Amino acid sequence: MLDQRLGNVEQDYASIYSFKMTVQDMIQRSSANRPKRKPPFYFDGGAYASYNLTEVALNLNMIRVKKHQAREEENRVTEQRSFLIDRTESPNPPEVVEFNGRRFVRDYSGATRLKQIYGYSCQVCGCTVATFECVRADACGYAEVHHIKPLGSGHQGPDYPGNMLVLCPNHHAAFDLSTMALDPETLEVYDLEADRELHNKGPIFLHESGHDFDSECLRYA
């Protein structure tokens, strides 16, 4: 509907532009001494006012840009609808392949104990991801452990509580993506937000019993 309305307006401007150019061409080819008619000009019984050609051309170009944007938006919505709704048959199940690889052999007891001490609560926001069943006998909820100095990829960080933070999945992802960082001196959290600036989110939550961090790991991060 929007595309149709824009098309009608575009045709009007195109007609005005074409008629004005025709009139100007006639005037230029007329004798210099012949009196020139002043607007409005009459053509087939219709009155045309005097239009500024530059303004008409700019308006015509703007309408064409809007039509192009409207078509792009329509194509985007159509593609999304096709992806989300218009699938007539389910795809084939994923293929299963075998591979050989290498992985770190971790001692999960330290990470598990640290999560228990913090009650499976995030040290940044204090939230706990609720679960229907207790994931451990002494605590309900879900949390993840982030290594301040990463274990792999050439970092070779240690796997012990001095290099660990208990985080919710969202803040764990933020630390892994380096959009969130920990100040090694103040233990305050800084978050890179949509304005591309770092914002101080305040200090992390520390257990009342204390939680000593490895200073080398903090500086590494």
Side-chain angles (χ1 to χ4, degrees):
M1 183 64 69
L2 175 61
D3 191 65
Q4 182 179 359
R5 291 200 302 267
L6 289 174
N8 294 336
V9 177
E10 181 185 18
Q11 290 178 3
D12 292 341
Y13 272 108
S15 298
I16 294 170
Y17 187 80
S18 176
F19 177 76
K20 181 64 176 178
M21 291 296 293
T22 302
V23 172
Q24 279 202 342
D25 183 62
M26 292 171 59
I27 292 175
Q28 290 174 358
R29 288 188 286 107
S30 299
S31 171
N33 298 324
R34 183 180 301 173
K36 298 179 176 61
R37 299 170 61 188
K38 296 183 179 180
F41 302 104
Y42 290 87
F43 182 74
D44 288 341
Y48 288 80
S50 178
Y51 288 90
N52 183 291
L53 284 180
T54 302
E55 181 180 352
V56 172
L58 289 175
N59 289 337
L60 188 60
N61 183 65
M62 180 182 65
I63 291 172
R64 287 170 176 166
V65 169
K66 288 185 177 180
K67 285 183 64 177
H68 177 71
Q69 292 174 344
R71 282 193 295 267
E72 284 191 337
E73 177 65 15
E74 183 179 356
N75 292 337
R76 185 185 66 83
V77 172
T78 301
E79 186 276 331
Q80 291 178 348
R81 184 183 298 112
S82 175
F83 180 80
L84 295 172
I85 301 174
D86 296 340
R87 292 192 171 185
T88 57
E89 58 183 19
S90 60
N92 296 326
E95 182 182 0
V96 178
V97 297
E98 294 184 2
F99 68 94
N100 295 322
R102 301 173 62 186
R103 63 186 297 269
F104 288 96
V105 179
R106 292 183 52 194
D107 180 8
Y108 288 94
S109 61
T112 300
R113 181 61 185 142
L114 189 64
K115 288 189 284 188
Q116 291 173 349
I117 290 174
Y118 280 98
Y120 292 85
S121 298
C122 177
Q123 287 184 256
V124 173
C125 64
C127 296
T128 302
V129 178
T131 57
F132 288 105
E133 297 180 358
C134 293
V135 293
R136 294 291 184 271
D138 57 348
C140 288
Y142 174 80
E144 299 174 353
V145 164
H146 169 70
H147 290 83
I148 301 171
K149 182 178 181 180
L151 299 182
S153 302
H155 303 287
Q156 304 301 320
D159 189 20
Y160 81 118
N163 188 37
M164 295 179 181
L165 288 172
V166 178
L167 301 173
C168 64
N170 284 346
H171 286 134
H172 191 187
F175 270 97
D176 283 345
L177 294 172
S178 299
T179 58
M180 186 168 280
L182 187 64
D183 188 309
E185 302 296 333
T186 64
L187 297 183
E188 293 180 331
V189 177
Y190 286 85
D191 187 19
L192 182 65
E193 297 188 356
D195 59 2
R196 313 305 298 172
E197 297 290 338
L198 286 173
H199 293 263
N200 190 331
K201 296 297 183 180
I204 60 172
F205 294 99
L206 296 174
H207 194 267
E208 58 185 11
S209 301
H211 185 174
D212 291 334
F213 292 100
D214 189 316
S215 58
E216 180 183 348
C217 294
L218 288 174
R219 289 193 299 270
Y220 186 89

